[in-house]
Amino acid sequence: RIYLGADGTLPGGFGYRLEADFANSDVTLTDVYLTYDATKHLRLTLGQQKPFWGLEELTSDLFTSFMERTSFGNAFGFERRLGFSAAYNSGPILLQAGAFTDDAQALLDDAANGYSFDGRAVFMPQLAGGQFHLGGSVHYRKLNNTASSVSYGVRAFVHTSDTKFITTGSISGVDSETGYGLELAYLRGPFHVAGETHWQHVGRVGGLPEPTFFGGYAEVGYYLTGGDRRGYKGGVFDRTKPAHPLGKGGLGALELNLRYDYLDLVDAGIVGGTQNTYGVALVWVPTDYTRFILNYGHVVYDRAAIHAGALNSYAVDAVGMRAQFDF
């Protein structure tokens, strides 16, 4: 996978970002937007961008704790969308809100006439010698088509897998989606802890049952190398800069992360299964702009959508590794 793009500033308080993802012999537009700094604390953004899903989803792929983000983000279809947003940041307060249509590619289909409203609030003061993070978000999406359907599912810990052992299949008669998220984190020295939850309610027409699905994760991480800490900036995790980089008298930064991840896709007659993931990641950052991640996950399924023989309760093991650099 290759991300190619550019960002910068323009006279008059404007800025821009253009980026495309080259993967699997395909090209996908990711961030394509124009910004305007209306005041010192207020930034306006127009274009394709991420609605304000939460802490990990808004953190760059370059700086996440694991190769893949949490299962509920993948299952509930967190994606970039075309729209207009505003972000207000003053001291420890961050407020974000926007109105969006679908992603740029989907808008090539005339039937893609839905819209959404998304908002997020974060309180991020310094606390007891560390960085505290408390946030919440709310999301409402109107599909605007009574014949619409949705499907929620996720691969087993690594995105390169083709199999979704947990999936709702197609849910018909969907009119809207309403999501609520909570996020909590604390960073101090080499240690960090983080967790998020998300509820996804499916609104349907004609008196059909309306399920509410749930997901969440909790993780803890620790740098095994002295003087290193996880980066944090503007309500998201940021770049780790090794205290002793490789080639300059050290071996870089080495971090161990442990995570428990839960996803429940069973409600109101929909049986997509439940998933419990126990993950460990070893992250080596030899220099500011190079990174290696080794992941292992033990994924336990109950009432799985895909049966293993006569069983719908079983476990899957997944191992993955990623090497990356950016410039």
Side-chain angles (χ1 to χ4, degrees):
R1 161 176 280 180
I2 300 174
Y3 288 102
L4 293 178
D7 54 48
T9 58
L10 299 167
F14 288 95
Y16 65 90
R17 183 175 180 85
L18 305 170
E19 185 183 78
D21 176 8
F22 296 78
N24 299 324
S25 301
D26 195 13
V27 180
T28 303
L29 291 176
T30 53
D31 293 326
V32 183
Y33 56 74
L34 184 71
T35 64
Y36 175 65
D37 292 332
T39 70
K40 179 181 178 181
H41 303 291
L42 178 64
R43 170 168 288 187
L44 308 178
T45 303
L46 177 66
Q48 175 145 301
Q49 58 193 287
K50 286 185 177 181
F52 310 109
W53 300 116
L55 172 61
E56 186 175 64
E57 189 65 30
L58 292 177
T59 294
S60 168
D61 284 340
L62 300 173
F63 313 135
T64 54
S65 305
F66 287 76
M67 285 176 56
E68 306 295 342
R69 291 185 170 92
T70 178
S71 61
F72 69 74
N74 290 316
F76 297 152
F78 291 179
E79 62 181 359
R80 291 169 173 84
R81 292 177 183 164
L82 193 67
F84 175 78
S85 69
Y88 176 83
N89 186 192
S90 179
I93 302 297
L94 173 64
L95 302 175
Q96 300 166 300
F100 303 90
T101 59
D102 282 304
D103 68 274
Q105 185 66 33
L107 289 175
L108 296 176
D109 181 357
D110 291 340
N113 57 355
Y115 57 87
S116 70
F117 301 100
D118 302 82
R120 178 178 180 241
V122 177
F123 181 53
M124 46 184 181
Q126 296 292 312
L127 180 65
Q131 176 67 58
F132 178 75
H133 174 106
L134 175 65
S137 63
V138 59
H139 315 271
Y140 175 78
R141 183 188 182 201
K142 180 74 169 178
L143 275 66
N144 214 25
N145 186 338
T146 56
S148 292
S149 63
V150 297
S151 177
Y152 302 127
V154 67
R155 297 174 174 87
F157 196 66
V158 288
H159 196 72
T160 49
S161 169
D162 292 329
T163 304
K164 294 182 178 181
F165 296 96
I166 179 172
T167 177
T168 62
S170 180
I171 302 174
S172 61
V174 177
D175 176 66
S176 64
E177 296 173 305
T178 306
Y180 306 94
L182 295 174
E183 46 194 272
L184 179 67
Y186 184 70
L187 304 83
R188 181 175 179 180
F191 169 84
H192 87 271
V193 61
E196 295 184 74
T197 57
H198 193 92
W199 291 262
Q200 183 85 340
H201 178 77
V202 181
R204 304 173 77 186
V205 298
L208 293 170
E210 299 188 349
T212 299
F213 303 119
F214 173 78
Y217 75 90
E219 76 172 40
V220 59
Y222 186 83
Y223 278 97
L224 306 176
T225 46
D228 292 311
R229 62 180 61 203
R230 189 163 193 194
Y232 178 91
K233 182 180 179 181
V236 297
F237 291 120
D238 200 19
R239 186 182 303 277
T240 293
K241 298 182 178 180
H244 307 285
L246 185 68
K248 295 184 178 180
L251 295 176
L254 187 65
E255 183 185 26
L256 179 66
N257 296 314
L258 304 176
R259 169 177 287 192
Y260 169 70
D261 186 292
Y262 177 74
L263 181 62
D264 184 351
L265 298 182
V266 179
D267 192 45
I270 306 295
V271 183
T274 61
Q275 173 181 292
N276 292 269
T277 303
Y278 306 89
V280 57
L282 189 63
V283 182
W284 178 39
V285 186
T287 70
D288 291 2
Y289 298 95
T290 54
R291 201 164 187 253
F292 299 86
I293 307 178
L294 177 63
N295 281 189
Y296 166 72
H298 181 69
V299 190
V300 181
Y301 295 101
D302 185 40
R303 305 175 75 181
I306 296 180
H307 289 204
L311 301 176
N312 64 358
S313 297
Y314 50 87
V316 169
D317 295 291
V319 178
M321 194 277 283
R322 185 171 75 200
Q324 68 182 53
F325 72 94
D326 66 287
F327 55 90

